[in-house]
């Protein structure tokens, strides 16, 4: 298999930066303050699993003009110097007295005028990856500058993937597709579910994943109870439906889809549920193009799986996908975002079976100029049998 | 190998809760508001990798008396019902109008008096895992109740591990020890570092890891540039020092240690650096007992590796370990936390070689009533040669 090159050309980061700066100007935002892994990486290319450690805050400032400025712990300077960022300011974190706040404040003051608005992501799917006490102190130091919402600027840019981003997501989905095809090697009646989870992650790595940040699933007679549980040591049994849902990463980009398997012959209820899920996925795929809005996809799926109800426990039937396992938007009735070429989505219908168990199916697609394209390999209506 | 049982007895969660409530009473805090994975899991046992999705906020309230109350997306209800928590309030997330905030506010108002202080983690190593706009709206609804700092209550409790927690950490460290011992199977001159990273995670899974949330490392002639970089496709070469640093998880608990290997014969500078790192680790281990404070460990290591400087780019020489890859406290000169039995620490000295490359060594230990105990297997002074 041919892999795309790792990383991005500098021009991609320059383009992201200048497009953000145009939106900042339109919204009277003098600088963006970025604190989360995905935001920092989006503008800088800074890729590390070190975010797993909660100890140190990391900051990037996107000024009104020019390249981003990194204000980071010194342990990250060597790696940040390998990106396109040249203005890198560091402190020795952790510092129990002043953990980067005064350095961050002075840098923000340097690049903004008194009274300026500094934008920070504050809407759904965002979080403040720094201590709240530090943030409150920062607000005090910066006054009369105000920290306001970022008007969703970064979220809006990230919604549409570049060809380079798409190539990474395609690589991730192809790796997971191959791993799923090998599932019969590791799953059969008698094997504990926890062992299946471990072995499936191994298959993902063998097929080329850099790492496997997400694996969930379920197994139970005629369906499962939820889709977010960790594995137990209960052995698989004939009549079980086994579902595995993986978000593996290649060069910082995720896939996110699942597969259902019947251990031995499926019940007629399971056969029927799987057919409905595939039918629903196809119905959304068929209209996933310019002219549709996100809620159209929701209704196309919901009409086939859940015609009498308006919603489900999952709360949505898919979502965006890219640098994170799940991204904006959510496929719900309330989301009217227009579909545009370059949007990568998961289609994820779920169904409740007569005995209260559930089944969920998920595929990954990309919106193009014409018909949508499958990224994961679309599954036949018949559930796979092991 | 004998594995401990998964999960915890209910009594452990009751004990954590009642100890927190005693500290809350002492600090005039009427409820704790928990928003992060580790905090929620510490009091409830709610274990899922679903936190990888940034979409939905999750809340747990610890009232002044009684069990915690979960205020969570409905997708999590089935799994939360398998914990000891019985008061589970849900909303269908994502909700673009009100994503749990009014449900959270009404629950907090129900369990606190007007004018009460509601504590939230706001100091170092914490973050606000909910949208800032939602938090600001919550503060408005709750007034005259105030959201204040949590006085480090949860951090203080988590500092000391129970025997059940320790058994999980021991299991994780033993798994990583075995994986490191198998490194010669996968690493040799000519193998790309990215392949070594993939294969090492596979070894961790084969040896019993549930998942491998963290793997970093480096390889370079006579040392490496930093310890947080992802792998490149550069092949290992004779004369390289290869370092792998893993945080793998068993039943929700981490290990975090590294190993250095020389590909072919090491240079004398590498030999000497490794000896110093082992010597420094042993020096800290020898005094890691009641009567010492954290800064003593820092100085014991620093005197052996860095006698002329007061600090390093890493900023610290180790840290706490448990439910997260890195936990409070940091082994720095400014930390004077007394060592007490049940504290799990990493000892992580680093050294700069004459040519500017670095080397880092790391072991995991637990403080006991007497001498400290190694959790990872302490390494000999001689660097391993492949």
């Amino acid at each position: 298999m041919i892999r795309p090159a790792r990383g991005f050309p500098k021009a991609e980061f320059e383009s992201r930066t200048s497009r953000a700066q145009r939106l900042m100007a339109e919204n009277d935002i003098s600088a963006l303050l970025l604190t989360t892994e995905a935001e920092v990486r989006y503008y800088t290319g800074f890729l590390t699993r070190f975010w797993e450690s909660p100890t140190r805050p990391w900051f990037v400032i996107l000024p009104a003009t020019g390249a981003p400025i990194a204000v980071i712990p010194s342990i990250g300077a060597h790696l940040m110097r390998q990106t396109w960022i040249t203005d890198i300011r560091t402190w020795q974190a952790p510092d129990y007295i002043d953990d980067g706040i005064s350095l961050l404040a002075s840098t923000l003051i340097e690049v903004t005028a008194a009274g300026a608005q500094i934008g920070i992501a504050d809407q759904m799917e965002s979080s403040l990856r720094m201590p709240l006490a530090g943030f409150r102190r920062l607000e005090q130091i910066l006054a009369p500058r105000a920290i306001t919402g970022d008007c969703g600027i970064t979220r809006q840019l990230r919604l549409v993937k570049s060809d380079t981003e798409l190539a990474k997501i395609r690589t991730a989905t192809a790796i997971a597709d191959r791993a799923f095809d090998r599932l019969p090697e590791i799953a059969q009646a008698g094997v504990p579910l926890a062992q299946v989870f471990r072995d499936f992650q191994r298959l993902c790595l063998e097929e080329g994943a850099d790492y496997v940040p997400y694996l969930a699933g379920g197994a139970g007679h005629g369906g499962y109870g939820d889709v977010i549980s960790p594995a137990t040591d209960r052995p698989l049994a004939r009549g079980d439906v086994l579902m595995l849902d993986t978000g593996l990463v290649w060069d910082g980009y995720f896939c996110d889809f699942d597969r259902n398997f019947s251990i031995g012959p499926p019940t007629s209820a399971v056969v029927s549920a799987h057919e409905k899920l595939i039918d629903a996925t196809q119905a959304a795929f068929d209209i996933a193009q310019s002219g549709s809005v996100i809620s159209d996809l929701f209704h196309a799926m919901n009409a086939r799986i859940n015609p009498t109800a308006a919603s489900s426990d999952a709360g949505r039937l898919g979502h965006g996908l890219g640098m994170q396992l799940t991204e904006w938007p959510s496929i719900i009735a309330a989301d009217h975002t227009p579909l545009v070429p370059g949007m990568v989505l998961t289609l994820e219908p779920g169904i409740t079976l007569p005995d209260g168990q559930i089944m969920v199916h998920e595929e990954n697609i990309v919106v193009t100029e014409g018909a949508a394209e499958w990224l994961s390999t679309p599954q036949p209506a018949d559930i796979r049998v092991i």
Side-chain angles (χ1 to χ4, degrees), chain A:
Chain A
M1 180 195 167
I2 308 292
R3 294 274 156 72
R6 290 186 182 268
F8 290 95
K10 183 180 173 188
E12 178 135 355
F13 296 114
E14 290 171 334
S15 165
R16 294 173 182 177
T17 299
S18 63
R19 283 180 291 142
Q21 287 166 335
R22 274 199 298 275
L23 294 168
M24 288 160 59
E26 287 172 17
N27 290 282
D28 196 24
I29 292 173
S30 300
L32 289 184
L33 172 57
L34 315 170
T35 69
T36 65
E37 189 276 337
E39 292 174 294
V40 166
R41 176 155 57 99
Y42 185 71
Y43 292 109
T44 66
F46 186 72
L47 174 61
T48 171
R49 295 177 81 180
F50 196 61
W51 295 85
E52 185 69 33
S53 165
T55 298
R56 300 171 181 85
W58 302 74
F59 308 110
V60 165
I61 297 166
L62 200 61
T65 59
I69 302 166
V71 181
I72 60 172
S74 49
I75 196 172
H78 180 268
L79 183 58
M80 187 63 84
R81 281 196 296 268
Q82 297 170 50
T83 73
W84 76 295
I85 305 304
T86 56
D87 190 344
I88 301 167
R89 307 177 187 197
T90 65
W91 81 98
Q92 274 203 352
D95 182 325
Y96 285 6
I97 306 299
D98 177 4
D99 208 28
I101 298 300
S102 62
L103 181 63
L104 174 62
S106 65
T107 310
L108 281 166
I109 288 169
E110 180 184 319
V111 300
T112 60
Q117 296 193 91
I118 297 164
I120 191 167
D122 70 341
Q123 296 299 311
M124 291 183 72
E125 313 219 349
S126 71
S127 64
L128 183 68
R129 197 190 179 281
M130 63 183 291
L132 184 60
F135 180 75
R136 286 174 160 162
R137 178 157 162 252
L138 179 70
E139 285 190 302
Q140 288 172 347
I141 302 174
L142 290 178
R145 291 164 181 84
I147 302 183
T148 66
D150 71 348
C151 301
I153 289 172
T154 304
R155 186 167 89 181
Q156 181 179 336
L157 294 181
R158 286 178 53 199
L159 194 58
V160 176
K161 272 66 181 178
S162 71
D163 289 346
T164 308
E165 289 183 289
L166 256 179
K168 298 180 196 300
I169 300 171
R170 281 185 203 280
T171 303
T173 52
I175 290 167
D177 256 331
R178 293 196 302 273
F180 277 125
D181 287 344
R182 292 179 59 188
L183 199 76
E185 295 177 19
I186 61 166
Q188 49 194 296
V191 179
L193 186 60
Q195 184 65 42
V196 173
F197 272 43
R198 270 193 295 275
D199 284 344
F200 183 73
Q201 294 174 91
R202 173 175 59 77
L203 294 181
C204 293
L205 292 161
E206 286 179 6
E207 293 297 337
D210 290 339
Y211 32 92
V212 189
Y214 188 69
L215 177 65
H221 188 78
Y224 28 87
D226 69 64
V227 297
I228 69 170
S229 287
T232 69
D233 285 321
R234 174 185 170 277
L236 294 176
R238 276 176 67 88
D240 277 1
V241 178
L242 166 67
M243 184 278 289
L244 293 179
D245 182 1
T246 193
L248 64 77
V249 164
W250 191 82
D251 201 26
Y253 281 75
F254 279 84
C255 67
D256 177 22
F257 61 99
D258 78 7
R259 294 291 177 254
N260 289 276
F261 302 84
S262 180
I263 308 298
T267 65
S268 60
V270 166
V271 168
S272 166
H274 195 266
E275 285 172 355
K276 279 188 190 167
L277 291 171
I278 299 300
D279 181 45
T281 308
Q282 183 69 47
F285 176 84
D286 288 343
I287 59 168
Q289 48 193 301
S290 298
S292 294
V293 297
I294 289 290
S295 55
D296 295 334
L297 305 184
F298 175 85
H299 292 300
M301 286 186 272
N302 204 49
R304 279 161 177 84
I305 53 174
N306 201 20
T308 59
S311 60
S312 73
D313 274 354
R316 60 179 178 175
L317 301 181
H319 50 78
L321 171 69
M323 300 173 67
Q324 289 174 288
L325 176 71
T326 78
E327 294 188 353
W328 193 261
S330 291
I331 300 183
I332 60 177
D335 192 302
H336 307 299
T337 308
L339 270 63
V340 294
M343 284 176 65
V344 173
L345 297 169
T346 79
L347 304 175
E348 188 175 14
I351 198 165
T352 302
L353 284 93
D355 60 357
Q357 301 280 76
I358 64 170
M359 285 178 63
V360 176
H361 179 67
E362 188 171 23
E363 301 283 4
N364 299 160
I365 68 168
V366 57
V367 180
T368 77
E369 298 286 345
E373 285 178 21
W374 298 104
L375 296 175
S376 51
T377 302
Q379 296 299 290
D382 292 342
I383 187 170
R384 298 196 204 186
V385 178
I386 291 180

